[in-house]
Amino acid sequence: MKLRKNYEICIFIVVCILINCFGRALSDFLVLPMRLDSVGTVFTSYVFGPVCGAIVGVTSNIMYCLRSDVSMFYGLSGLVVGVTVGVCAKKGFLKSIFGAMSTAFVVTIFSVIITAPLNFILSDGATGNIWGDGVSGLLREIGCNTEISNVIGEFYLDFVDKVVTILILFVVVQLYLKRKKKSKKQKKN
């Protein structure tokens, strides 16, 4: 029985890594103003906690880096997303829409704190996304300082990405709980 449970956990984690990779590829292909590479991470964090979520986040980033010219240091962002969502889930923050959006905001702030300096070190502040770089460019054109412009460009990307990602998690969990409750009610009758 324990072997089956471990097998199911491994399958879940592999699927979540693939979801992250697919989300990033879809985002790149459609040129979206987000990365969509944390959906599997937040699901793993919610179900199995911060450590498993961090493992999925880092592994997904490493896999993406192997097929592109992006640095593996960005895996730190996946680690922070996994840990933050896992901790917030354990504290019950994802039980309400307010808590979910608050979690998205906190994850955004931590992601920007990790990613923006990496952008400066590895790519002269560029986000690697046309939308984020467009926001940075617009701000520089109107006279904003380069560093602030690039940080705001990264915030723009991370905020949209994390809100959408956490909303996906919140909706799926709510639908699952509603279905589970309905199933229990039917068994009683």
Side-chain angles (χ1 to χ4, degrees), residues 97 100-101 104 161-173:
I97 191 69
M101 291 302 91
D161 183 56
K162 300 320 181 244
V163 166
V164 168
T165 299
I166 300 291
L167 269 177
I168 290 169
L169 172 67
F170 180 76
V171 168
V172 169
V173 167

Side-chain angles (χ1 to χ4, degrees), residues 21 24-25 28 37 59-70:
C21 293
R24 180 64 183 251
D28 289 348
D37 61 352
T59 304
S60 301
N61 276 289
I62 290 171
M63 289 181 65
Y64 179 73
C65 294
L66 293 175
R67 73 170 191 85
S68 68
D69 61 348
V70 174

Side-chain angles (χ1 to χ4, degrees), residues 65-168:
C65 294
L66 293 175
R67 73 170 191 85
S68 68
D69 61 348
V70 174
S71 172
M72 288 191 195
F73 287 111
Y74 286 103
L76 292 171
S77 180
L79 182 138
V80 168
V81 169
V83 169
T84 306
V85 171
V87 169
C88 288
K90 284 190 182 291
K91 292 189 177 280
F93 290 179
L94 297 172
K95 291 181 179 178
S96 69
I97 191 69
F98 176 76
M101 291 302 91
S102 297
T103 299
F105 184 75
V106 169
V107 171
T108 298
I109 297 301
F110 288 157
S111 293
V112 171
I113 289 170
I114 297 294
T115 307
L118 288 173
N119 291 346
F120 285 108
I121 294 166
L122 301 169
S123 60
D124 294 326
T127 65
N129 179 293
I130 194 168
W131 293 87
D133 291 337
V135 168
S136 299
L138 175 67
L139 290 170
R140 280 192 308 275
E141 280 183 29
I142 61 173
C144 231
N145 145 329
T146 300
E147 289 78 18
I148 291 173
S149 298
N150 289 345
V151 170
I152 292 172
E154 184 61 42
F155 178 83
Y156 172 84
L157 281 179
D158 279 333
F159 184 72
V160 172
D161 183 56
K162 300 320 181 244
V163 166
V164 168
T165 299
I166 300 291
L167 269 177
I168 290 169

Side-chain angles (χ1 to χ4, degrees), residues 16 19-20 23 36-44 164-165 168-169:
C16 286
I19 288 170
N20 283 351
L36 288 178
D37 61 352
S38 298
V39 176
T41 302
V42 300
F43 274 93
T44 304
V164 168
T165 299
I168 290 169
L169 172 67

